[in-house]
Amino acid sequence: MVRSDVIGDPHGRLPSIHYWWRAYETNPTIYKQTLNIKASSHHLLKTSDGKVLLTYGDGAITTRPTKGLLISNPADVWNLGTPTPIYDLGTEDSANPSSIEMPNGTFYTTGINTKTRAESPYGGTLWLISSTRADYQ
């Protein structure tokens, strides 16, 4: 079982916390790791190969651009590499991602263009941004 949290910090300005435990144990030990990322509105997707795709709004940046990390060892200490930029609308809120994996291994991450129609002809629209495992290496 894996959980990431930003307890008491809905805007992602504090480091995120990763918890994990072995759910099949009667009295599982709960492990905790403070991550060196400021994740706002994160999403965890278990991939077909047992990894976890973590997508989140980067709370360390005013516009909260969406970034992603592919975690190869989700039920242990996370060794984070360099986050992969997914999208940045340049507004104060381009986070709240959610991701899916297609049968061919392509990931799609949602993004909402929070600009108004006056600012962008695509204001208020839902975007699907594609990525592959190679993008997270």
Side-chain angles (χ1 to χ4, degrees):
M1 196 63 102
V2 175
R3 174 182 168 90
S4 275
D5 212 337
V6 288
I7 297 171
D9 181 34
H11 302 291
R13 293 185 179 91
L14 298 174
S16 297
I17 301 169
H18 163 227
Y19 298 93
W20 72 99
W21 60 94
R22 288 161 182 71
Y24 55 84
E25 294 178 358
T26 305
N27 295 307
T29 300
I30 296 176
Y31 302 92
K32 176 182 173 181
Q33 175 189 9
T34 300
L35 302 174
N36 194 23
I37 58 172
K38 296 179 179 180
S40 173
S41 304
H42 71 280
H43 180 250
L44 298 170
L45 171 72
K46 182 178 178 185
T47 64
S48 61
D49 59 1
K51 296 179 181 181
V52 166
L53 177 62
L54 166 64
T55 52
Y56 62 96
D58 189 344
I61 300 171
T62 304
T63 58
R64 287 194 315 153
T66 297
K67 295 184 178 180
L69 290 161
L70 191 58
I71 310 297
S72 61
N73 53 343
D76 205 340
V77 173
W78 288 3
N79 298 312
L80 304 179
T82 302
T84 299
I86 298 176
Y87 64 91
D88 184 357
L89 297 174
T91 65
E92 288 188 23
D93 188 7
S94 58
N96 303 310
S98 185
S99 300
I100 61 168
E101 180 182 13
M102 301 302 291
N104 69 358
T106 300
F107 301 114
Y108 286 99
T109 301
T110 59
I112 298 174
N113 184 336
T114 57
K115 293 180 179 180
T116 66
R117 293 282 177 158
E119 295 172 303
S120 167
Y122 302 106
T125 57
L126 180 67
W127 295 9
L128 291 176
I129 298 93
S130 66
S131 60
T132 65
R133 281 173 178 71
D135 294 320
Y136 300 96
Q137 305 288 327

PDB file of all heavy atoms in Angstrom, residues 1-4 18-25 27-32 74-76:
ATOM      1  N   MET A   1       0.843  -1.156   0.000  1.00  0.00           N
ATOM      2  CA  MET A   1       0.000   0.000   0.000  1.00  0.00           C
ATOM      3  C   MET A   1       0.899   1.233   0.000  1.00  0.00           C
ATOM      4  O   MET A   1       1.878   1.269   0.727  1.00  0.00           O
ATOM      5  CB  MET A   1      -0.861  -0.066   1.259  1.00  0.00           C
ATOM      6  CG  MET A   1      -2.045   0.823   1.259  1.00  0.00           C
ATOM      7  SD  MET A   1      -3.217   0.418  -0.011  1.00  0.00           S
ATOM      8  CE  MET A   1      -4.447  -0.433   0.862  1.00  0.00           C
ATOM      9  N   VAL A   2       0.580   2.210  -0.808  1.00  0.00           N
ATOM     10  CA  VAL A   2       1.381   3.431  -0.912  1.00  0.00           C
ATOM     11  C   VAL A   2       0.455   4.633  -0.790  1.00  0.00           C
ATOM     12  O   VAL A   2      -0.650   4.622  -1.313  1.00  0.00           O
ATOM     13  CB  VAL A   2       2.116   3.491  -2.271  1.00  0.00           C
ATOM     14  CG1 VAL A   2       2.837   4.802  -2.439  1.00  0.00           C
ATOM     15  CG2 VAL A   2       3.083   2.327  -2.409  1.00  0.00           C
ATOM     16  N   ARG A   3       0.920   5.664  -0.099  1.00  0.00           N
ATOM     17  CA  ARG A   3       0.146   6.897   0.013  1.00  0.00           C
ATOM     18  C   ARG A   3       1.127   8.062   0.021  1.00  0.00           C
ATOM     19  O   ARG A   3       2.152   8.013   0.683  1.00  0.00           O
ATOM     20  CB  ARG A   3      -0.673   6.897   1.295  1.00  0.00           C
ATOM     21  CG  ARG A   3      -1.397   8.205   1.545  1.00  0.00           C
ATOM     22  CD  ARG A   3      -2.151   8.164   2.863  1.00  0.00           C
ATOM     23  NE  ARG A   3      -2.610   9.469   3.238  1.00  0.00           N
ATOM     24  CZ  ARG A   3      -3.770   9.989   2.909  1.00  0.00           C
ATOM     25  NH1 ARG A   3      -4.605   9.305   2.167  1.00  0.00           N
ATOM     26  NH2 ARG A   3      -4.106  11.185   3.318  1.00  0.00           N
ATOM     27  N   SER A   4       0.803   9.109  -0.701  1.00  0.00           N
ATOM     28  CA  SER A   4       1.560  10.356  -0.631  1.00  0.00           C
ATOM     29  C   SER A   4       0.630  11.402  -0.070  1.00  0.00           C
ATOM     30  O   SER A   4      -0.560  11.399  -0.349  1.00  0.00           O
ATOM     31  CB  SER A   4       2.040  10.802  -2.009  1.00  0.00           C
ATOM     32  OG  SER A   4       3.236  10.174  -2.321  1.00  0.00           O
ATOM     33  N   HIS A  18       5.757  10.562   1.808  1.00  0.00           N
ATOM     34  CA  HIS A  18       5.432   9.265   1.216  1.00  0.00           C
ATOM     35  C   HIS A  18       5.325   8.256   2.360  1.00  0.00           C
ATOM     36  O   HIS A  18       6.241   8.124   3.157  1.00  0.00           O
ATOM     37  CB  HIS A  18       6.553   8.893   0.230  1.00  0.00           C
ATOM     38  CG  HIS A  18       6.603   7.458  -0.150  1.00  0.00           C
ATOM     39  ND1 HIS A  18       7.762   6.736  -0.155  1.00  0.00           N
ATOM     40  CD2 HIS A  18       5.649   6.604  -0.550  1.00  0.00           C
ATOM     41  CE1 HIS A  18       7.532   5.507  -0.541  1.00  0.00           C
ATOM     42  NE2 HIS A  18       6.258   5.399  -0.784  1.00  0.00           N
ATOM     43  N   TYR A  19       4.177   7.575   2.460  1.00  0.00           N
ATOM     44  CA  TYR A  19       3.972   6.521   3.444  1.00  0.00           C
ATOM     45  C   TYR A  19       3.825   5.204   2.701  1.00  0.00           C
ATOM     46  O   TYR A  19       3.247   5.156   1.624  1.00  0.00           O
ATOM     47  CB  TYR A  19       2.678   6.745   4.228  1.00  0.00           C
ATOM     48  CG  TYR A  19       2.631   8.001   5.041  1.00  0.00           C
ATOM     49  CD1 TYR A  19       2.087   9.171   4.524  1.00  0.00           C
ATOM     50  CD2 TYR A  19       3.112   8.016   6.341  1.00  0.00           C
ATOM     51  CE1 TYR A  19       2.031  10.330   5.276  1.00  0.00           C
ATOM     52  CE2 TYR A  19       3.062   9.171   7.103  1.00  0.00           C
ATOM     53  CZ  TYR A  19       2.516  10.324   6.568  1.00  0.00           C
ATOM     54  OH  TYR A  19       2.462  11.467   7.304  1.00  0.00           O
ATOM     55  N   TRP A  20       4.299   4.137   3.280  1.00  0.00           N
ATOM     56  CA  TRP A  20       4.046   2.827   2.698  1.00  0.00           C
ATOM     57  C   TRP A  20       4.039   1.768   3.791  1.00  0.00           C
ATOM     58  O   TRP A  20       4.636   1.932   4.838  1.00  0.00           O
ATOM     59  CB  TRP A  20       5.021   2.485   1.578  1.00  0.00           C
ATOM     60  CG  TRP A  20       6.430   2.178   1.990  1.00  0.00           C
ATOM     61  CD1 TRP A  20       6.982   0.925   2.147  1.00  0.00           C
ATOM     62  CD2 TRP A  20       7.473   3.107   2.299  1.00  0.00           C
ATOM     63  NE1 TRP A  20       8.291   1.038   2.529  1.00  0.00           N
ATOM     64  CE2 TRP A  20       8.623   2.363   2.623  1.00  0.00           C
ATOM     65  CE3 TRP A  20       7.554   4.482   2.330  1.00  0.00           C
ATOM     66  CZ2 TRP A  20       9.822   2.951   2.980  1.00  0.00           C
ATOM     67  CZ3 TRP A  20       8.753   5.075   2.675  1.00  0.00           C
ATOM     68  CH2 TRP A  20       9.874   4.310   2.992  1.00  0.00           C
ATOM     69  N   TRP A  21       3.289   0.700   3.517  1.00  0.00           N
ATOM     70  CA  TRP A  21       3.194  -0.412   4.446  1.00  0.00           C
ATOM     71  C   TRP A  21       2.769  -1.638   3.668  1.00  0.00           C
ATOM     72  O   TRP A  21       2.328  -1.545   2.537  1.00  0.00           O
ATOM     73  CB  TRP A  21       2.214  -0.098   5.581  1.00  0.00           C
ATOM     74  CG  TRP A  21       0.809   0.182   5.128  1.00  0.00           C
ATOM     75  CD1 TRP A  21      -0.215  -0.705   5.040  1.00  0.00           C
ATOM     76  CD2 TRP A  21       0.278   1.445   4.692  1.00  0.00           C
ATOM     77  NE1 TRP A  21      -1.348  -0.087   4.582  1.00  0.00           N
ATOM     78  CE2 TRP A  21      -1.075   1.241   4.365  1.00  0.00           C
ATOM     79  CE3 TRP A  21       0.817   2.727   4.548  1.00  0.00           C
ATOM     80  CZ2 TRP A  21      -1.888   2.268   3.901  1.00  0.00           C
ATOM     81  CZ3 TRP A  21       0.000   3.737   4.095  1.00  0.00           C
ATOM     82  CH2 TRP A  21      -1.334   3.504   3.777  1.00  0.00           C
ATOM     83  N   ARG A  22       2.946  -2.781   4.268  1.00  0.00           N
ATOM     84  CA  ARG A  22       2.578  -4.042   3.641  1.00  0.00           C
ATOM     85  C   ARG A  22       1.191  -4.439   4.170  1.00  0.00           C
ATOM     86  O   ARG A  22       1.060  -4.902   5.304  1.00  0.00           O
ATOM     87  CB  ARG A  22       3.641  -5.089   3.917  1.00  0.00           C
ATOM     88  CG  ARG A  22       4.893  -4.769   3.092  1.00  0.00           C
ATOM     89  CD  ARG A  22       6.136  -5.426   3.597  1.00  0.00           C
ATOM     90  NE  ARG A  22       7.313  -5.067   2.813  1.00  0.00           N
ATOM     91  CZ  ARG A  22       7.910  -3.876   2.805  1.00  0.00           C
ATOM     92  NH1 ARG A  22       7.413  -2.877   3.477  1.00  0.00           N
ATOM     93  NH2 ARG A  22       9.001  -3.662   2.095  1.00  0.00           N
ATOM     94  N   ALA A  23       0.192  -4.230   3.361  1.00  0.00           N
ATOM     95  CA  ALA A  23      -1.204  -4.360   3.781  1.00  0.00           C
ATOM     96  C   ALA A  23      -1.580  -5.783   4.189  1.00  0.00           C
ATOM     97  O   ALA A  23      -2.540  -5.977   4.922  1.00  0.00           O
ATOM     98  CB  ALA A  23      -2.123  -3.877   2.666  1.00  0.00           C
ATOM     99  N   TYR A  24      -0.844  -6.787   3.752  1.00  0.00           N
ATOM    100  CA  TYR A  24      -1.186  -8.169   4.059  1.00  0.00           C
ATOM    101  C   TYR A  24      -0.715  -8.587   5.454  1.00  0.00           C
ATOM    102  O   TYR A  24      -1.080  -9.658   5.942  1.00  0.00           O
ATOM    103  CB  TYR A  24      -0.591  -9.121   3.007  1.00  0.00           C
ATOM    104  CG  TYR A  24       0.903  -8.968   2.846  1.00  0.00           C
ATOM    105  CD1 TYR A  24       1.788  -9.628   3.688  1.00  0.00           C
ATOM    106  CD2 TYR A  24       1.426  -8.136   1.868  1.00  0.00           C
ATOM    107  CE1 TYR A  24       3.151  -9.464   3.561  1.00  0.00           C
ATOM    108  CE2 TYR A  24       2.789  -7.971   1.724  1.00  0.00           C
ATOM    109  CZ  TYR A  24       3.650  -8.645   2.576  1.00  0.00           C
ATOM    110  OH  TYR A  24       5.006  -8.475   2.439  1.00  0.00           O
ATOM    111  N   GLU A  25       0.083  -7.765   6.138  1.00  0.00           N
ATOM    112  CA  GLU A  25       0.555  -8.101   7.479  1.00  0.00           C
ATOM    113  C   GLU A  25      -0.521  -7.779   8.521  1.00  0.00           C
ATOM    114  O   GLU A  25      -1.278  -6.812   8.377  1.00  0.00           O
ATOM    115  CB  GLU A  25       1.836  -7.331   7.796  1.00  0.00           C
ATOM    116  CG  GLU A  25       3.003  -7.734   6.933  1.00  0.00           C
ATOM    117  CD  GLU A  25       4.269  -6.930   7.226  1.00  0.00           C
ATOM    118  OE1 GLU A  25       4.233  -6.027   8.085  1.00  0.00           O
ATOM    119  OE2 GLU A  25       5.286  -7.233   6.595  1.00  0.00           O
ATOM    120  N   ASN A  27      -0.114  -6.723  11.711  1.00  0.00           N
ATOM    121  CA  ASN A  27       0.254  -5.466  12.359  1.00  0.00           C
ATOM    122  C   ASN A  27       1.364  -4.806  11.543  1.00  0.00           C
ATOM    123  O   ASN A  27       2.538  -4.853  11.926  1.00  0.00           O
ATOM    124  CB  ASN A  27       0.724  -5.702  13.799  1.00  0.00           C
ATOM    125  CG  ASN A  27      -0.382  -6.231  14.682  1.00  0.00           C
ATOM    126  OD1 ASN A  27      -1.453  -5.645  14.745  1.00  0.00           O
ATOM    127  ND2 ASN A  27      -0.137  -7.350  15.347  1.00  0.00           N
ATOM    128  N   PRO A  28       1.008  -4.210  10.420  1.00  0.00           N
ATOM    129  CA  PRO A  28       2.047  -3.683   9.531  1.00  0.00           C
ATOM    130  C   PRO A  28       2.790  -2.486  10.137  1.00  0.00           C
ATOM    131  O   PRO A  28       2.222  -1.684  10.868  1.00  0.00           O
ATOM    132  CB  PRO A  28       1.270  -3.247   8.291  1.00  0.00           C
ATOM    133  CG  PRO A  28      -0.106  -2.978   8.790  1.00  0.00           C
ATOM    134  CD  PRO A  28      -0.331  -3.942   9.920  1.00  0.00           C
ATOM    135  N   THR A  29       4.067  -2.427   9.837  1.00  0.00           N
ATOM    136  CA  THR A  29       4.865  -1.262  10.190  1.00  0.00           C
ATOM    137  C   THR A  29       4.612  -0.205   9.131  1.00  0.00           C
ATOM    138  O   THR A  29       4.614  -0.500   7.936  1.00  0.00           O
ATOM    139  CB  THR A  29       6.371  -1.621  10.201  1.00  0.00           C
ATOM    140  OG1 THR A  29       6.568  -2.649  11.170  1.00  0.00           O
ATOM    141  CG2 THR A  29       7.221  -0.420  10.537  1.00  0.00           C
ATOM    142  N   ILE A  30       4.378   1.028   9.566  1.00  0.00           N
ATOM    143  CA  ILE A  30       4.157   2.126   8.620  1.00  0.00           C
ATOM    144  C   ILE A  30       5.470   2.883   8.484  1.00  0.00           C
ATOM    145  O   ILE A  30       6.062   3.320   9.466  1.00  0.00           O
ATOM    146  CB  ILE A  30       3.030   3.049   9.092  1.00  0.00           C
ATOM    147  CG1 ILE A  30       1.715   2.258   9.131  1.00  0.00           C
ATOM    148  CG2 ILE A  30       2.910   4.266   8.178  1.00  0.00           C
ATOM    149  CD1 ILE A  30       0.536   3.016   9.673  1.00  0.00           C
ATOM    150  N   TYR A  31       5.942   3.003   7.258  1.00  0.00           N
ATOM    151  CA  TYR A  31       7.188   3.705   6.960  1.00  0.00           C
ATOM    152  C   TYR A  31       6.853   5.097   6.432  1.00  0.00           C
ATOM    153  O   TYR A  31       5.822   5.292   5.800  1.00  0.00           O
ATOM    154  CB  TYR A  31       7.999   2.934   5.919  1.00  0.00           C
ATOM    155  CG  TYR A  31       8.325   1.534   6.349  1.00  0.00           C
ATOM    156  CD1 TYR A  31       7.484   0.477   6.012  1.00  0.00           C
ATOM    157  CD2 TYR A  31       9.461   1.257   7.106  1.00  0.00           C
ATOM    158  CE1 TYR A  31       7.777  -0.827   6.411  1.00  0.00           C
ATOM    159  CE2 TYR A  31       9.764  -0.038   7.499  1.00  0.00           C
ATOM    160  CZ  TYR A  31       8.908  -1.073   7.156  1.00  0.00           C
ATOM    161  OH  TYR A  31       9.192  -2.355   7.548  1.00  0.00           O
ATOM    162  N   LYS A  32       7.747   6.034   6.670  1.00  0.00           N
ATOM    163  CA  LYS A  32       7.516   7.413   6.259  1.00  0.00           C
ATOM    164  C   LYS A  32       8.790   7.982   5.646  1.00  0.00           C
ATOM    165  O   LYS A  32       9.877   7.778   6.167  1.00  0.00           O
ATOM    166  CB  LYS A  32       7.111   8.241   7.481  1.00  0.00           C
ATOM    167  CG  LYS A  32       6.931   9.715   7.233  1.00  0.00           C
ATOM    168  CD  LYS A  32       6.581  10.421   8.533  1.00  0.00           C
ATOM    169  CE  LYS A  32       6.568  11.921   8.363  1.00  0.00           C
ATOM    170  NZ  LYS A  32       6.256  12.617   9.618  1.00  0.00           N
ATOM    171  N   PRO A  74       7.883   1.516  -5.746  1.00  0.00           N
ATOM    172  CA  PRO A  74       6.838   2.218  -5.000  1.00  0.00           C
ATOM    173  C   PRO A  74       6.629   1.755  -3.563  1.00  0.00           C
ATOM    174  O   PRO A  74       6.182   2.529  -2.736  1.00  0.00           O
ATOM    175  CB  PRO A  74       5.575   1.994  -5.829  1.00  0.00           C
ATOM    176  CG  PRO A  74       5.868   0.832  -6.684  1.00  0.00           C
ATOM    177  CD  PRO A  74       7.337   0.818  -6.906  1.00  0.00           C
ATOM    178  N   ALA A  75       6.963   0.513  -3.233  1.00  0.00           N
ATOM    179  CA  ALA A  75       6.732   0.004  -1.883  1.00  0.00           C
ATOM    180  C   ALA A  75       7.997   0.037  -1.040  1.00  0.00           C
ATOM    181  O   ALA A  75       8.188  -0.782  -0.152  1.00  0.00           O
ATOM    182  CB  ALA A  75       6.176  -1.407  -1.955  1.00  0.00           C
ATOM    183  N   ASP A  76       8.857   1.002  -1.305  1.00  0.00           N
ATOM    184  CA  ASP A  76      10.118   1.138  -0.581  1.00  0.00           C
ATOM    185  C   ASP A  76      10.502   2.617  -0.606  1.00  0.00           C
ATOM    186  O   ASP A  76       9.722   3.456  -1.044  1.00  0.00           O
ATOM    187  CB  ASP A  76      11.196   0.282  -1.248  1.00  0.00           C
ATOM    188  CG  ASP A  76      12.306  -0.116  -0.277  1.00  0.00           C
ATOM    189  OD1 ASP A  76      12.467   0.546   0.764  1.00  0.00           O
ATOM    190  OD2 ASP A  76      13.018  -1.084  -0.578  1.00  0.00           O
TER     191      ASP A  76
END
